[in-house]
């Protein structure tokens, strides 16, 4: 049951003041969603437009995801020109694609015209080529050509991430001329941090930061202020490399040039933050064997299908690990304690390997681990495995003897723990490095291989040492 809130009556307070969107924990209030839903069903356009006008695009995106699928499209249609299409870049990919496919191409085209070029590309790139073309045909020639060029660049490249709105000036201008130009030009980018001197062929000459420009006197030639060593990126650079460049050199913006050094765009820090979040999301999902495009809004069938293949691979490796137990069937029948304790050895090795693998995958992604320090890192992780192995060998050995009252059992499981933790440390660091060398994604494949190694080594070392120690057959 929802609480009725009277927000139609005139008042000095805004709609969101009278009907807050979020509670004290920052969560969307059910009453707010219910009120918006009721307004949609009652076609209360005035109220919906008032709400949409006050919401930040990120909050509007959260509201869209909280609505039922049919109501999402109706909200866009009813609010018309007041709807911020940038909000669709704040929702899950599947939700965005569903909305865009339901809307008329002319409606989407009108919304795209209000966006900066990088936001427009992000909005369109998830659609298939036929839907993209249908929307692009509704755009003016200039905007259509700009977006088509951006969409031709490789996915996850700087060319896809850049915005094509930037400020260029002739290098022979003065500071005063540049300032007057910016004051008198109505269609400047919404936000910018530097201006770019270019020649007549649009070749990049350098950059001038706004703080440097504003501190200089009007008669000063721009050529005296140009930073020719300014970091820039190529349209073909991978977005991860661009993000690393921003982090390393503390950039807030970076010019983007084509293969002939012509200035074609600019990437700003807000774009890089999105890249960092996306890459972290993909790596985290990959470590769990989840496809990078899986979203919370996906249906059961889509999620199950996406996870099936990796679970099938895991099943095959599990059978491989279990086959080791079959080699010691007779020994397991003679001493039940071995069957009880064997999973402990495998589990400890797997946990230690996962810790090492997590550090290794992150270090490879950030380029902190390479050929120059690989040997030192491998040796360090091996010694860590050995130290922890000895510590847990003592703990586990004492516990095993106290549990089963078999003195030699503590020595057997202790030695096996040492072997498996060292093996886990080596597997956790070497497997990601090998996968990186063969140009496979270490985050995707490492987990299964590392777990298989620790299971096989754990079972084999424990049961093999037990066979030798107790003389089992």
């Amino acid at each position: 049951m929802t609480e009725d809130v009277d927000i139609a009556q005139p008042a000095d307070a805004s709609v969101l003041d009278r009907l807050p969107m979020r509670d004290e924990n920052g969560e969307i209030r059910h009453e707010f969603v219910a009120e918006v839903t009721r307004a949609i069903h009652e076609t209360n356009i005035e109220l919906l437009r008032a709400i949409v006008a006050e919401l930040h695009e990120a909050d509007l995106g959260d509201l869209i995801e909280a609505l039922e699928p049919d109501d999402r499209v109706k909200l866009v249609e009813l609010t018309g020109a007041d709807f911020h299409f940038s909000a669709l870049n704040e929702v899950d990919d599947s939700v965005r694609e569903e909305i865009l496919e339901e809307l008329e191409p002319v409606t989407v085209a009108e919304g795209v015209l209000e966006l900066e070029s990088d936001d427009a590309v992000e909005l369109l790139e998830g659609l298939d080529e036929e839907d993209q073309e249908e929307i692009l045909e509704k755009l003016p020639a200039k905007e259509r050509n700009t977006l088509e060029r951006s969409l031709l660049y490789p996915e996850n490249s700087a060319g896809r991430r850049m915005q094509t709105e930037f400020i260029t000036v002739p290098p022979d201008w003065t500071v005063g001329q540049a300032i007057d130009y910016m004051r008198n030009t109505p269609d400047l980018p919404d936000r910018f941090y530097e201006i770019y001197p270019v020649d007549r062929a649009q070749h990049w000459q350098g950059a001038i930061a706004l703080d440097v420009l504003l501190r200089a006197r009007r008669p000063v030639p721009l050529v005296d202020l140009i930073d020719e060593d300014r970091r820039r990126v190529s349209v073909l650079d991978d977005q991860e490399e661009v993000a690393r460049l921003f982090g390393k050199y503390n950039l807030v913006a970076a010019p983007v040039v084509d293969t002939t050094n012509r200035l074609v765009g600019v990437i700003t820090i807000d774009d890089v933050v999105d890249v960092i979040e996306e890459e972290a999301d993909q790596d985290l999902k990959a470590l769990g064997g989840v496809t990078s495009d899986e979203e919370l809004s996906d249906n059961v069938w889509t999620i199950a299908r996406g996870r099936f293949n990796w679970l099938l691979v895991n099943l095959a490796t599990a059978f491989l690990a279990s086959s080791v137990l079959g080699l010691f069937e007779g020994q397991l029948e003679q001493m039940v304690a071995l069957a009880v304790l064997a999973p402990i050895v495998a589990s400890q090795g797997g946990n230690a390997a996962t810790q090492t693998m997590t550090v290794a995958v992150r270090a490879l992604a950030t380029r902190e681990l390479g050929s120059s320090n690989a040997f030192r890192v491998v040796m360090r992780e091996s010694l860590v495995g050995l130290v922890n192995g000895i510590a847990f060998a003592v703990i586990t050995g004492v516990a095993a003897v106290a549990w089963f009252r078999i003195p030699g059992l503590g020595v057997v499981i202790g030695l096996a723990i040492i072997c498996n933790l060292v093996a886990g440390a080596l597997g956790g660091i070497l497997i990601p490095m090998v996968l990186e060398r063969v140009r496979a994604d270490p985050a995707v494949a490492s987990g299964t291989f590392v777990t298989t190694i620790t299971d096989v080594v754990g079972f084999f070392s424990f049961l093999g040492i037990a066979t030798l120690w107790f003389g089992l057959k």
Side-chain angles (χ1 to χ4, degrees):
M1 182 175 180
T2 61
E3 171 189 347
D4 290 333
V5 180
D6 182 12
I7 59 174
Q9 59 185 4
D12 293 335
S14 68
V15 173
L16 296 182
D17 286 336
R18 286 175 277 151
L19 181 65
M21 176 179 177
R22 301 185 184 275
D23 59 22
E24 60 276 7
N25 297 319
E27 301 293 332
I28 296 182
R29 297 171 66 246
H30 295 298
E31 293 82 5
F32 181 80
V33 177
E35 193 67 34
V36 172
T37 301
R38 184 167 63 181
I40 291 172
H41 294 168
E42 295 176 355
T43 320
N44 190 341
I45 297 177
E46 183 180 353
L47 173 59
L48 292 174
R49 286 183 172 177
I51 291 174
V52 165
E54 292 185 27
L55 286 176
H56 186 275
E57 57 262 28
D59 294 321
L60 183 54
D62 290 341
L63 172 60
I64 291 171
E65 290 190 330
L67 294 172
E68 294 297 325
D70 291 340
D71 293 334
R72 295 165 181 164
V73 177
K74 291 178 182 177
L75 175 65
V76 179
E77 293 175 337
L78 291 173
T79 52
D82 291 319
F83 182 82
H84 313 295
F85 264 73
S86 55
L88 295 183
N89 287 333
E90 305 293 334
V91 302
D92 288 349
D93 292 346
S94 58
V95 173
R96 177 169 61 249
E97 290 166 19
E98 288 174 5
I99 294 174
L100 293 177
E101 288 172 359
E102 291 293 328
L103 293 173
E104 291 294 328
V106 65
T107 301
V108 180
E110 290 172 355
V112 166
L113 283 174
E114 302 300 321
L115 300 177
E116 292 185 340
S117 56
D118 55 334
D119 292 330
V121 169
E122 183 180 355
L123 193 74
L124 297 175
E125 64 182 353
L127 300 175
D128 57 45
E129 291 185 8
E130 183 178 345
D131 291 334
Q132 283 182 9
E133 188 60 33
E134 196 172 2
I135 294 169
L136 290 170
E137 286 177 354
K138 308 296 182 183
L139 297 174
K142 180 181 177 181
E143 286 76 7
R144 181 176 67 249
N145 293 336
T146 298
L147 293 178
E148 285 177 340
R149 282 197 300 271
S150 295
L151 288 168
L152 287 176
Y153 292 119
E155 188 176 2
N156 298 328
S157 67
R160 282 283 186 97
R161 281 291 176 182
M162 70 181 183
Q163 65 181 58
T164 54
E165 299 87 8
F166 49 87
I167 300 175
T168 60
V169 292
D172 56 357
W173 274 9
T174 65
V175 169
Q177 287 176 295
I179 292 175
D180 291 341
Y181 168 74
M182 288 186 286
R183 284 175 177 168
N184 298 326
T185 304
D187 57 346
L188 295 179
D190 290 340
R191 285 189 179 88
F192 56 94
Y193 306 96
E194 50 196 18
I195 61 175
Y196 304 107
V198 295
D199 62 17
R200 293 182 181 274
Q202 201 71 5
H203 291 116
W204 184 79
Q205 304 292 303
I208 302 175
L210 289 184
D211 60 315
V212 173
L213 183 74
L214 294 176
R215 287 191 180 105
R217 296 188 177 277
R218 290 180 63 87
V220 174
L222 292 182
V223 69
D224 294 344
L225 306 179
I226 295 176
D227 180 4
E228 297 179 353
D229 297 325
R230 185 74 168 82
R231 299 287 171 178
R232 62 189 186 276
V233 299
S234 165
V235 289
L236 300 179
D237 285 348
D238 185 86
Q239 62 180 18
E240 281 191 81
E241 295 296 332
V242 175
R244 247 187 304 276
L245 187 72
F246 269 69
K248 186 173 183 178
Y249 296 103
N250 300 320
L251 303 179
V252 293
V256 184
V257 297
D258 63 13
T259 53
T260 63
N261 202 40
R262 292 177 64 252
L263 182 64
V264 292
V266 61
I267 292 181
T268 53
I269 187 63
D270 57 314
D271 302 313
V272 172
V273 171
D274 290 339
V275 169
I276 293 171
E277 289 181 349
E278 288 177 13
E279 297 297 340
D281 179 70
Q282 290 176 8
D283 288 344
L284 185 61
K285 288 178 177 177
L287 282 171
V290 178
T291 56
S292 60
D293 56 353
E294 180 179 313
E295 304 286 356
L296 286 177
S297 57
D298 289 343
N299 58 45
V300 173
W301 172 247
T302 301
I303 294 175
R305 184 178 56 188
R307 297 181 185 181
F308 178 84
N309 291 338
W310 201 240
L311 288 175
L312 185 62
V313 173
N314 276 267
L315 179 62
T317 58
F319 272 109
L320 175 62
S322 297
S323 65
V324 176
L325 295 175
L327 299 175
F328 297 92
E329 184 177 353
Q331 291 87 335
L332 291 171
E333 290 178 353
Q334 293 181 51
M335 187 177 290
V336 177
L338 299 180
V340 175
L341 296 175
I344 296 177
V345 179
S347 175
Q348 280 297 95
N351 291 334
T354 299
Q355 291 176 328
T356 304
M357 179 187 67
T358 301
V359 173
V361 169
R362 180 193 174 280
L364 288 169
T366 58
R367 301 293 189 269
E368 294 177 12
L369 176 59
S371 56
S372 61
N373 63 346
F375 180 77
R376 178 177 60 82
V377 174
V378 170
M379 291 303 299
R380 186 199 67 184
E381 291 298 329
S382 300
L383 290 174
V384 170
L386 178 62
V387 170
N388 279 334
I390 294 173
F392 281 101
V394 174
I395 296 171
T396 312
V398 172
V401 172
W403 189 357
F404 292 99
R405 307 296 180 182
I406 303 175
L409 197 57
V411 177
V412 171
I413 195 171
L415 292 174
I417 285 282
I418 294 173
C419 291
N420 207 25
L421 261 65
V422 173
L426 287 171
I429 187 72
L430 292 177
I431 287 178
M433 290 176 61
V434 170
L435 292 173
E436 175 80 3
R437 183 60 62 89
V438 299
R439 299 189 181 281
D441 188 350
V444 174
S446 297
T448 296
F449 293 132
V450 168
T451 301
T452 301
I453 286 177
T454 55
D455 284 350
V456 170
V457 172
F459 291 144
F460 193 86
S461 61
F462 179 53
L463 297 176
I465 294 171
T467 300
L468 295 174
W469 186 272
F470 294 110
L472 300 175
K473 297 181 180 180

